[in-house]
Amino acid sequence: MTPSLTELCATYCDRGFLTGVPALDPEELERATEGFSRLEREFGLEYAQYSLHNVHLKYRWVMSLATHPKVLELIKGILGPNVILLDSRFICKYPTKQKSHEAACGKQQNSSTPCGELQYHSAPCGGQHNHRLPFVAWHQDIRYWGFEGGSVASVWLALDDVDRENGVLQVIPGSHHQGLLPHIASSRMGNMLTANQEIPDHLLNTSEAVECPLQAGQMSVHDGLTVHGSEPNLSTRRRCGFVIRYVPSSAYPVQDPDRPRTFNATVLVSGVDEYHHFPNNAPNLQ
């Protein structure tokens, strides 16, 4: 039996996340994946991996994802009727191809490698480790967002199937009840977080972590205080999603040097903005 919106919101409040929620139908998913393929061709894979930031202000098809009725129905159930789109970003972990021993040692690379494919040294000469592969350290989203007056709900809208092999999202259920935890600089190479931060191991109970597998077209959503992260993509498949952050209209920006993120792409996507704490950017859509 499909859970009701009330049941979903109660689970979210208790556990700090939801996963496997249906969002895009097959035609919508096809349009989204075709749209992202155009961005990959235009900007290149390295840029598309993490730098397609707030392009909902430019592309109509991206804005349609951020305002999708099924997405907003759940977000309104969580945050209330008046919702501001705070930020968005495409995040991709491309397949990591193990180079041959000769290539890792500096000899000529096999010419059969497809042009433009991202490659990483997952096991340099004499080693078997993945510390240089892109991963996301354990963190809380709210650590980076300089606002108060409400919570942030982060949606991962899957363009690809997501599982353990290609770097599934992992969360620690109920961790949002702990409040904001200290973050330190990560010593592990490959952290995709722009501030290269992580929560110290001694503050985490990772034995309680659960995975959030998704089929393409499904979404997960987690609270800004929910501790989460993800391991490298060790598969031959891409793992790409559209990350969308929403806040209630009651939220307001604050000047906090430890949380310096600014908000230059906010859009009212549901209800009314009775506070006007953020600019309501009119998208110039293509």
Side-chain angles (χ1 to χ4, degrees):
M1 180 182 296
T2 303
S4 67
L5 179 61
T6 300
E7 291 170 329
L8 287 173
C9 293
T11 299
Y12 180 88
C13 182
D14 178 51
R15 293 172 62 81
F17 76 100
L18 296 167
T19 191
V21 181
L24 305 181
D25 65 30
E27 291 184 1
E28 292 168 335
L29 176 61
E30 182 178 6
R31 288 196 296 269
T33 54
E34 288 176 351
F36 187 74
S37 293
R38 292 193 296 270
L39 295 181
E40 287 181 313
R41 291 192 296 270
E42 180 178 355
F43 294 99
L45 300 189
E46 184 173 356
Y47 190 90
Q49 179 172 256
Y50 197 69
S51 299
L52 290 169
H53 190 206
N54 288 329
V55 294
H56 62 266
L57 294 181
K58 183 176 181 181
Y59 300 104
R60 189 177 306 276
W61 68 270
V62 179
M63 193 65 186
S64 71
L65 296 179
T67 56
H68 192 282
K70 288 187 178 179
V71 176
L72 289 184
E73 179 185 29
L74 181 57
I75 293 301
K76 287 188 290 184
I78 292 170
L79 297 179
N82 303 323
V83 177
I84 290 173
L85 193 169
L86 187 70
D87 186 89
S88 77
R89 186 190 297 270
F90 285 96
I91 298 179
C92 276
K93 291 181 183 175
Y94 287 97
T96 51
K97 298 294 188 181
Q98 176 63 57
K99 294 184 178 181
S100 67
H101 183 271
E102 290 79 13
C105 290
K107 296 183 180 180
Q108 185 173 2
Q109 183 177 330
N110 188 323
S111 61
S112 65
T113 300
C115 179
E117 183 176 80
L118 292 182
Q119 295 202 3
Y120 302 90
H121 289 282
S122 60
C125 294
Q128 296 294 328
H129 48 82
N130 299 319
H131 68 283
R132 294 186 181 182
L133 299 183
F135 75 103
V136 178
W138 291 108
H139 70 287
Q140 296 165 300
D141 289 342
I142 200 69
R143 178 63 183 83
Y144 306 95
W145 307 97
F147 72 87
E148 301 289 350
S151 60
V152 59
S154 293
V155 168
W156 176 281
L157 185 57
L159 300 189
D160 301 320
D161 292 344
V162 183
D163 54 33
R164 178 180 298 180
E165 189 181 28
N166 70 350
V168 67
L169 173 72
Q170 300 178 58
V171 304
I172 300 181
S175 54
H176 62 309
H177 296 305
Q178 297 178 264
L180 182 60
L181 298 173
H183 289 58
I184 61 173
S186 176
S187 60
R188 182 180 170 192
M189 296 178 63
N191 188 5
M192 292 180 73
L193 296 175
T194 52
N196 190 36
Q197 292 188 329
E198 65 181 3
I199 298 172
D201 290 342
H202 71 275
L203 296 178
L204 300 172
N205 187 358
T206 55
S207 65
E208 296 182 350
V210 299
E211 297 176 348
C212 296
L214 295 170
Q215 296 176 2
Q218 292 182 331
M219 65 177 169
S220 64
V221 56
H222 62 266
D223 185 88
L225 286 169
T226 299
V227 176
H228 62 288
S230 63
E231 290 299 316
N233 180 356
L234 301 179
S235 75
T236 59
R237 296 170 289 118
R238 188 185 70 178
R239 182 246 192 183
C240 185
F242 183 44
V243 177
I244 326 162
R245 275 88 180 221
Y246 304 92
V247 293
S249 60
S250 59
Y252 54 90
V254 295
Q255 297 298 317
D256 185 345
D258 290 330
R259 297 160 59 193
R261 184 68 60 87
T262 56
F263 312 103
N264 57 4
T266 51
V267 180
L268 179 69
V269 292
S270 177
V272 296
D273 182 5
E274 64 270 53
Y275 300 102
H276 304 290
H277 291 151
F278 296 98
N280 186 23
N281 293 279
N284 183 20
L285 300 176
Q286 298 179 10

